[in-house]
Amino acid sequence: RRGFVYWDDTFLGAQKRSGVIPTWYGSSQPVGAADAQRLPHRRHSPPAVSRGVKWQGVVDGVVSVHWIQGTIPRDKVPRAIELLQRLFPIGEAQERDFGRNGYDYTYEWSPDGIKLWTDRQAERSVRLHGGRACLCIPGGALEGLDGAAVRELLARLVSELWFLCTRIDLAFDDFRRSISPHEVAEHARRGEFSGYRRYTVSEVATKGGQREGDMIAFGRRGGNGSGKYLRCYDKSLESGGEIDAVRWELELSKERASVVAFELSQSRDVASFGAMASALIGGAIDFRECSASSDRHLERRDRLPWWASIVERLGRVAFGIPRRAPTIERTRCWIAESLKGTLAMLRQAVLLREFR
């Protein structure tokens, strides 16, 4: 495999202490002491326990798959359409003679927003897209499926349609509202987080100057990002009050998305599928105390109580991607993105011929 997944000691310890795990997708399956003792030996697939929270909004919250996007071989497009029409109540697709990202044909199902982009000619498909079509299933469509259907969808995409995932989003709606995005931003400003190098804060204010809501995002999207982008925002404001929760939304792309989608597709059952989805969110970031007496190594400090409470419910799973040797093109892009300000300043200050 191109990556690996491993379980955090916090996740294992929580199961051993409690013996009972919150439910996922409305099912309930406690784990016994014998099962807990065997957990550390399972490295590549999560234990068959129900982890995280219920699929529908109950007391604790909701963990869900919120976006699936990737490519399939062009000759498997008819089978993909059959699978989509079986799992989603979408009817016939609207076919359009245009697409995006260089594709020239689109299958679209409204109002769910599912799209399948392909090329009409095989030669064009091979020349421009490596003979592959692109499938996008947004959150609005996935919300209509239960846990078993989401697991079946991903498993069949990978095993039958040779699906290569390029983006998958996992979301946790915290109905306890353990902390607000504004408070998370305060901890970030004090440097009390690990797992990311950068963060951005966006605030929304009313005309009277009162803060109506805010969002903090960790990481960077796009070609220069790491493929792991985490947002925390007030879902109540976005949903018009329908979902009174703070949402933690993890967007995985590039090779991380491919590895995680494959691991999820290999889940033995709905419970283990939910276990990994929940723990991936909990393992995406960590929040630790920062004080004058704190250890200089962040991982040795005490976990912040509010984050420890969330981790207790979600668990933690981490994944690694082998580092690639930088190419000339990636190095050029990095210089253009990261050093252009410095180079412009040098040019203005010293007017060297090399900068003209």
Side-chain angles (χ1 to χ4, degrees):
R1 298 181 184 179
R2 287 167 294 178
F4 59 88
V5 176
Y6 60 90
W7 294 102
D8 185 287
D9 289 340
T10 303
F11 176 64
L12 301 174
Q15 296 188 75
K16 291 179 181 179
R17 288 194 302 273
S18 65
V20 178
I21 309 302
T23 58
W24 161 264
Y25 290 167
S27 65
S28 178
Q29 182 179 345
V31 58
D35 294 321
Q37 293 298 325
R38 291 196 298 267
L39 290 177
H41 303 291
R42 301 181 182 273
R43 291 182 60 81
H44 287 291
S45 60
V49 296
S50 186
R51 187 69 185 170
V53 290
K54 293 185 179 179
W55 175 255
Q56 299 296 335
V58 191
V59 177
D60 284 333
V62 172
V63 172
S64 58
V65 178
H66 204 256
W67 193 285
I68 297 175
Q69 183 169 324
T71 64
I72 60 174
R74 177 180 175 273
D75 60 3
K76 293 188 179 293
V77 165
R79 292 184 61 185
I81 294 175
E82 291 178 6
L83 176 63
L84 293 172
Q85 291 177 333
R86 185 171 67 82
L87 291 178
F88 295 92
I90 52 180
E92 296 298 322
Q94 300 178 19
E95 301 182 32
R96 308 181 188 279
D97 292 326
F98 57 86
R100 58 173 296 183
N101 297 331
Y103 291 102
D104 65 0
Y105 203 79
T106 303
Y107 295 92
E108 181 176 358
W109 290 268
S110 298
D112 296 303
I114 301 174
K115 294 182 177 65
L116 179 58
W117 297 289
T118 186
D119 294 294
R120 283 173 289 189
Q121 301 297 324
E123 181 275 332
R124 186 179 193 275
S125 176
V126 171
R127 176 166 48 87
L128 296 180
H129 303 109
R132 300 183 70 86
C134 182
L135 173 64
C136 176
I137 307 176
L142 291 168
E143 287 173 357
L145 302 182
D146 61 17
V150 173
R151 174 180 171 271
E152 180 186 357
L153 170 65
L154 198 54
R156 289 186 176 276
L157 283 174
V158 172
S159 63
E160 299 177 7
L161 302 181
W162 302 355
F163 180 71
L164 179 61
C165 186
T166 56
R167 175 182 170 185
I168 184 168
D169 292 8
L170 308 173
F172 166 50
D173 290 330
D174 181 13
F175 289 114
R176 291 183 184 176
R177 304 183 73 91
S178 305
I179 191 170
S180 70
H182 178 68
E183 292 170 318
V184 174
E186 291 299 320
H187 289 290
R189 292 187 182 101
R190 292 197 290 268
E192 297 179 325
F193 70 95
S194 64
Y196 295 88
R197 294 183 179 180
R198 58 179 292 161
Y199 68 91
T200 54
V201 179
S202 302
E203 296 186 355
V204 179
T206 62
K207 292 183 179 180
Q210 298 295 319
R211 186 170 47 253
E212 190 177 72
D214 38 29
M215 181 189 81
I216 179 168
F218 296 89
R220 176 188 291 177
R221 306 173 79 183
N224 292 323
S226 67
K228 186 181 70 165
Y229 183 71
L230 179 68
R231 290 179 289 262
C232 175
Y233 59 93
D234 193 328
K235 186 64 177 177
S236 177
L237 295 172
E238 189 206 40
S239 64
E242 291 185 16
I243 304 176
D244 186 15
V246 172
R247 169 164 288 191
W248 295 82
E249 191 170 281
L250 177 62
E251 178 183 317
L252 300 170
S253 58
K254 304 179 181 178
E255 194 167 2
R256 292 182 186 272
S258 176
V259 170
V260 168
F262 178 82
E263 293 284 350
L264 287 171
S265 72
Q266 302 303 299
S267 302
R268 296 186 301 275
D269 50 32
V270 176
S272 59
F273 185 94
M276 179 171 286
S278 300
L280 280 165
I281 301 171
I285 195 170
D286 206 2
F287 292 91
R288 303 274 179 162
E289 293 180 355
C290 182
S291 64
S293 59
S294 298
D295 194 298
R296 65 188 184 91
H297 296 284
L298 189 65
E299 65 275 7
R300 297 177 186 171
R301 303 173 188 171
D302 292 334
R303 185 167 283 142
L304 292 172
W306 61 268
W307 183 245
S309 173
I310 291 177
V311 167
E312 183 74 19
R313 296 152 67 193
L314 291 178
R316 279 178 61 81
V317 65
F319 50 89
I321 302 296
R323 289 184 177 272
R324 296 179 179 176
T327 63
I328 294 177
E329 180 61 23
R330 286 181 62 86
T331 302
R332 185 194 67 79
C333 291
W334 177 82
I335 291 174
E337 179 68 23
S338 303
L339 301 181
K340 59 184 179 183
T342 302
L343 295 175
M345 180 185 66
L346 287 172
R347 177 182 178 182
Q348 184 175 7
V350 299
L351 295 177
L352 294 177
R353 292 178 179 271
E354 288 79 3
F355 290 98
R356 293 183 179 179

